[in-house]
Amino acid sequence: MEILFQICLVISSFLSFSHCLDNGLALSPPMGWLAWQRFRCNTDCVNDPKHCISERLFMEMADLLVSEGYAKAGYNLISLDDCWLDKERGSDGRLKPDPFRFPSGIPALADYIHSRGLRFGIYEDYGNYTCAGYPGILNNMKLDAETFAEWQVDYVKLDGCYSFPSQMDKGYPEFGYFLNRTGRSMMYSCSWPFYQLVTKMEPDYEAISKTCNLWRNFEDIQDSWQSVTAIIDYYGDNQDTLIPLAGPGHWNDPDMLIIGNFGLSYEQSRAQMCMWAIMASPLLMSVDLRTIRPEFKAILLNTEIIAVNQDPLGVQGRRVYKKQGIEIWTKPVLPKSGKKYSWAVVVLNRRVDGTPSQVTVPLRELGLDSEDGYHARELNEHKDIGIILPDQAIQVDVNPSGVVMLKCTIIRVPPFSP
């Protein structure tokens, strides 16, 4: 009964949410590649030219997004993060890149990325300085918005270091206003709620979701399973607040995918991919695409899991069961039959006792109650399970710190006609 109540909350939260950011962008969770988690603020291009923050790095990643099939799978954004700037503005007051690391300039980099059929993103900060100490946008918001439009930017990530969280309710919408005034469509990624939560303020999520296409509300992800599970816990523990906010045009952002780096095992990497998919999270990779191992690349390119994330309903999944290290998360997806939906289901094993856990997934208790049944399929292994009726259950073996992800597609029986 408790699980059924949770499922009803998923549907009612989705149906009751009506307003959205009306810029026509991010109608599904954004997908792409960001530099920060993997490459941080490495500016030493003399001793480490391969890994430093430079135009070469972003051009190489753009080429690999296309040549290695990531763009075809939906990863269509390449975005700068902190440390691309020069330490001082130009004599005209405009932002400028570091001249040694970005000798061609930002317009040329944007052109290069656009020529690959990709979108170009940029990073800035609402405060006096970025988190790494480069010029921020404070007192220059109109000029910087116009500069980004002239540079043909498609995505703006605005951090919140060196600023007052109490001023963000005014400042983030103001910069969004100037972005919109340029006439160029730019996705707007905000860190607004995170900085307010850190200072014990209550974010105005209604205003945030009307201003930003996506927003961070938890700490930066680190390259560890502990960091991933802390984010999962935050989203599960606060789901009644967060789920109603998500939908086409406006998304909660739990931060980057760290799959293919150093801190996650193969099972844990699968788990992050499946959890970010069912939470309708932006899928923003931060990995060296030049050296990623094939098994981790395959996780990132799993089109069946990506399809769950990109489902047009745009519903953020809900944790409906948590006991003895096992969690079950569900998300309504298309197709539907009448008023009944298909469902994605993730079974997450948080246990570390060295052996797979056998978990029974009861369909009707999870809200899968169409009497015509469902076609069940496991998405990591691309394996058909078959037709399952609502009073039946699916039994799965879930590896420690791993997942099983199911897509239960509703069976649509045509109406009887004599």
Side-chain angles (χ1 to χ4, degrees), residues 22-43:
D22 188 22
N23 64 2
L25 300 176
L27 298 181
S28 59
M31 296 176 62
W33 185 92
L34 273 66
W36 181 255
Q37 211 296 315
R38 176 59 182 84
F39 295 95
R40 299 288 172 156
C41 191
N42 180 353
T43 59

Side-chain angles (χ1 to χ4, degrees), residues 41 45 71 92 116 133 180 191 193 211 217 298 315 363 393:
C41 191
C45 289
D92 58 358
R116 271 53 182 172
N180 290 332
S191 297
T211 300
N217 38 32
V315 181
L363 266 65

Side-chain angles (χ1 to χ4, degrees), residues 9-11 48 144 184 204 209 283 379:
L9 281 177
V10 173
I11 298 294
D48 193 10
D144 292 349
R184 180 169 180 81
D204 183 353
S209 63
L283 300 182
L379 303 187

Side-chain angles (χ1 to χ4, degrees), residues 23 84 98 174 203 229 235 241 277-278 300 303 305 315-316 345 369 377 414:
N23 64 2
W84 64 272
D98 181 279
E174 185 177 3
T229 55
Y235 272 70
T241 297
I278 206 157
L300 292 166
T303 55
I305 292 174
V315 181
Q316 181 172 316
V345 180
D369 57 1
R377 180 171 170 84

Side-chain angles (χ1 to χ4, degrees), residues 59 62-66 71 110-119:
M59 289 176 177
D63 290 342
L64 288 166
L65 274 192
V66 176
D111 287 346
Y112 187 93
I113 290 170
H114 288 148
S115 74
R116 271 53 182 172
L118 303 171
R119 294 171 176 163

